[in-house]
Amino acid sequence: MQRITVARGDGIGPEIMEATLKILKAAGAELEIDEIEVGEKVYLSGNTSGIAKDAWDIIRKNKIFLKAPITTPQGGGYKSLNVTTRKFLGLYANVRPCMSLHPFVQTKHPKMDLIIIRENEEDLYAGIEHQQTDEVVQCLKLISRPGCEKIIRYAFEYARQYGRKKVTCFTKDNIMKQTDGLFHKVFDEIAPLYPDIQHEHWIIDIGAAKLADTPEAFDVIVMPNLYGDILSDVAAQIAGSVGLAGSANIGEECAMFEAIHGSAPRIAGQDKANPSGLLHGAILMLAHIGQTDIAENIENAWLKTIEDGLHTYDIYKEGTSKEKLGTQAFADAVISNLGKKPIALKEVIYNKNITLQLPAYKRKEQAQKELVGVDVFVHWRETNANELAVLMKKIELPNIKLSMITNRGIKVWPDGFRETFCTDHWRCRFKPIAGEKITKEHIIALLQNSISENIDTIKTENLYAFNGIEAFSLGQGQ
Ligand code: NAD
């Protein structure tokens, strides 16, 4: 018996949760349920996080959370409960199966059957943003080795346990050599530990085009947070079933399961909504907690219901569908198909002993880290980089000299192009002359000099070499 936390949510949430729980019960899922209140009512009572402290206590105690969609009120500084939950509970993996149900649900891709595994905590979603000058704002893209190792291991383990043949990695490491480069490097390190699973890497742009055009070329795809956020919606949509998809958010201790759609307030309370997205979230939950027989039974009954042409309004189509059902009647139809298998659609068979082998992260030996330079970022409203170079040379130290200026990453000094458009945000790189070393005291002296020269420095970034390899980007064109 597994104790889980359930939130019925807002809008269509309560109806689709009712339908889902009814199916879980009829299928004999061994669950004990604690219900909590999250969402609109909690937000509007003045709690900007949408969840009370005692609800957190229950979620953390039970560790497994089945959540219906909630309504985040517009404006007013309300924080997204989903993002908060993922970060607080360390739910690092977002898993979204995208399968077409041709010919019962319309799609241009009848053979599509893939799983998107998205890193869920890092990347541009760390939410560290700053305005730095009148014209320029920045967002920090943070990628960590433990973050990469956890998600990539999860993808390979998932593939092995769920009988998938190939894991594909999408990154843009031809441009982001450090951040996406690390993700790709860790993928290349971990892939050989799974010789039974094929692996490949695609640059995200052509990979995304291929995914939209020929999704059957992919099996499991793993990627950093932002790409995964976008492409998991694209994949669900082209499977023809954005309203049917569920997702799992997996952490080392806790996990949250949900539908991918929102609370659809316009159709709330009318017994119209399709409960399939949340039901798929629940099926992922059952597999995760080891109740694979029940997960399999429900999924096969659901596939049978879909191929019987018993459809809710959102997928109902004259000619293909047989009967248009409401939320609860659809749930009853799934229940009456328990124990049956689909005929035209492919039957689902789960490995009965799913045990994901996810070793705890082990920190690597510390590298030899050497300071080799500094980038001083400057707010300067003129446009001629040669003039800025004259100014910046005034803050040089005897052994630490200006080596380059870039604007939005493009080298504008020395030997810049007159045509390059420049904003008011400049990166001035200082490096020691040959045979000399730079220290943090030098950086402070550079900043001190810039105050004396009335130069508006915004920030500095230290330039390091790790084990002798310089670990920072060059200027574009350098
Ligand atoms: P939505 O997903 O709620 O609705 C988009 C469209 O899909 C609507 O036309 C709706 O009628 C239809 N739809 C969605 N689910 C359906 C279902 N189960 N059956 C039939 N039709 C369905 O997106 P939205 O309208 O942009 O957002 C509504 C609210 O949901 C917002 O407050 C938003 O913040 C919230 N939201 C919550 C979550 C979540 O809790 N995970 C996710 C997305 C949006």
Side-chain angles (χ1 to χ4, degrees):
M1 196 59 80
Q2 170 84 40
R3 213 174 177 89
I4 66 164
T5 308
V6 161
R8 290 179 184 257
D10 301 314
I12 58 171
E15 306 158 56
I16 59 173
M17 184 59 86
E18 187 61 35
T20 299
L21 294 179
K22 186 154 77 170
I23 297 168
L24 294 185
K25 190 162 177 228
E30 296 181 1
L31 301 172
E32 278 173 338
I33 290 171
D34 287 324
E35 291 208 20
I36 57 163
E37 178 90 64
V38 295
E40 203 172 18
K41 267 199 222 133
V42 183
Y43 282 120
L44 297 177
S45 73
N47 182 333
T48 51
S49 67
I51 177 165
K53 165 143 190 339
D54 49 349
W56 274 128
D57 294 342
I58 296 171
I59 292 174
R60 291 171 77 187
K61 183 161 81 44
N62 291 342
K63 302 193 187 305
I64 302 293
F65 182 20
L66 180 62
K67 184 180 129 316
I70 60 164
T71 302
T72 311
Q74 297 286 304
Y78 299 108
K79 295 266 185 246
S80 155
L81 180 62
N82 267 354
V83 176
T84 313
T85 309
R86 283 176 199 159
K87 290 199 174 166
F88 265 154
L89 299 181
L91 308 181
Y92 64 89
N94 184 283
V95 182
R96 191 180 290 185
C98 298
M99 185 181 71
S100 58
L101 299 158
H102 176 80
F104 306 102
V105 176
Q106 263 203 331
T107 169
K108 295 191 184 96
H109 307 287
K111 293 196 203 122
M112 177 174 182
D113 177 11
L114 58 86
I115 310 280
I116 295 205
I117 298 189
R118 159 192 171 196
E119 198 290 318
N120 222 7
E121 293 183 290
E122 311 197 327
D123 195 1
L124 291 155
Y125 288 62
I128 307 176
E129 293 192 293
H130 308 90
Q131 177 163 3
Q132 301 206 307
T133 65
D134 294 314
E135 293 175 344
V136 175
V137 288
Q138 74 165 18
C139 175
L140 284 188
K141 172 162 166 136
L142 296 180
I143 300 279
S144 74
R145 175 167 272 278
C148 296
E149 285 193 10
K150 275 163 38 173
I151 192 70
I152 291 164
R153 271 225 176 246
Y154 187 89
F156 278 100
E157 279 294 322
Y158 186 99
R160 183 178 273 172
Q161 298 291 337
Y162 287 83
R164 299 274 171 170
K165 306 236 160 356
K166 184 173 72 173
V167 178
T168 304
C169 175
F170 281 2
T171 71
K172 187 75 182 169
D173 69 333
N174 54 334
I175 302 295
M176 282 163 279
K177 297 193 164 69
Q178 295 291 330
T179 48
D180 284 22
L182 177 60
F183 198 92
H184 187 175
K185 182 167 180 252
V186 172
F187 181 79
D188 286 346
E189 285 170 13
I190 289 179
L193 306 178
Y194 296 83
D196 48 325
I197 311 281
Q198 299 164 42
H199 67 276
E200 61 181 9
H201 171 268
W202 288 69
I203 297 293
I204 178 88
D205 39 13
I206 190 65
K210 180 83 174 173
L211 173 67
D213 182 64
T214 323
E216 60 274 18
F218 299 105
D219 197 348
V220 174
I221 313 179
V222 63
M223 55 193 131
N225 203 341
L226 176 65
Y227 311 141
D229 189 3
I230 297 165
L231 288 186
S232 59
D233 268 20
V234 170
Q237 178 71 26
I238 65 170
S241 60
V242 80
L244 306 181
S247 89
N249 297 273
I250 309 287
E252 277 170 11
E253 282 194 47
C254 302
M256 174 173 78
F257 302 86
E258 59 186 346
I260 70 168
H261 59 71
S263 57
R266 269 193 311 238
I267 56 164
Q270 298 166 37
D271 190 41
K272 276 174 77 173
N274 190 339
S276 301
L278 186 59
L279 183 65
H280 276 121
I283 291 169
L284 291 167
M285 174 185 79
L286 290 172
H288 180 77
I289 60 178
Q291 299 187 22
T292 38
D293 285 349
I294 299 161
E296 194 178 284
N297 188 7
I298 295 176
E299 195 161 345
N300 283 324
W302 180 83
L303 288 167
K304 177 84 170 67
T305 310
I306 294 294
E307 68 176 31
D308 285 348
L310 306 176
H311 295 166
T312 43
Y313 87 99
D314 53 313
I315 55 168
Y316 181 88
K317 201 156 181 294
E318 214 61 67
T320 325
S321 306
K322 291 217 178 66
E323 203 178 330
K324 193 189 287 180
L325 299 182
T327 312
Q328 304 310 325
F330 179 81
D332 293 337
V334 174
I335 289 169
S336 65
N337 278 332
L338 286 168
K340 297 185 192 154
K341 305 262 159 79
I343 296 158
L345 292 169
K346 197 169 136 220
E347 173 191 345
V348 172
I349 300 171
Y350 281 129
N351 174 354
K352 296 290 177 282
N353 303 304
I354 290 178
T355 44
L356 270 59
Q357 302 289 330
L358 296 164
Y361 173 70
K362 272 210 212 84
R363 209 163 246 177
K364 300 254 177 314
E365 202 180 318
Q366 191 163 14
Q368 182 85 34
K369 177 174 149 189
E370 188 194 354
L371 186 66
V372 295
V374 64
D375 281 345
V376 177
F377 287 76
V378 171
H379 182 178
W380 189 63
R381 288 175 61 85
E382 307 297 324
T383 52
N384 185 335
N386 294 329
E387 287 173 21
L388 179 60
V390 171
L391 191 58
M392 295 310 292
K393 278 179 163 294
K394 291 187 184 166
I395 72 166
E396 285 181 341
L397 304 169
N399 297 332
I400 311 295
K401 302 290 179 196
L402 180 69
S403 68
M404 172 186 77
I405 300 176
T406 68
N407 193 293
R408 290 183 299 171
I410 301 145
K411 189 187 73 165
V412 290
W413 182 92
D415 309 324
F417 282 17
R418 187 180 41 76
E419 295 85 346
T420 305
F421 182 84
C422 291
T423 68
D424 58 0
H425 185 276
W426 308 80
R427 170 178 63 166
C428 305
R429 177 160 290 175
F430 288 86
K431 296 190 98 178
I433 55 175
E436 296 294 330
K437 296 229 179 279
I438 181 170
T439 64
K440 292 208 174 139
E441 284 74 18
H442 289 130
I443 298 176
I444 291 168
L446 287 171
L447 292 178
Q448 199 67 53
N449 289 352
S450 73
I451 293 173
S452 310
E453 293 298 333
N454 218 12
I455 295 166
D456 183 5
T457 55
I458 313 154
K459 67 160 184 173
T460 58
E461 293 284 354
N462 295 351
L463 306 178
Y464 288 113
F466 286 83
N467 291 338
I469 298 168
E470 294 197 335
F472 48 86
S473 50
L474 299 178
Q476 197 78 38
Q478 195 184 5

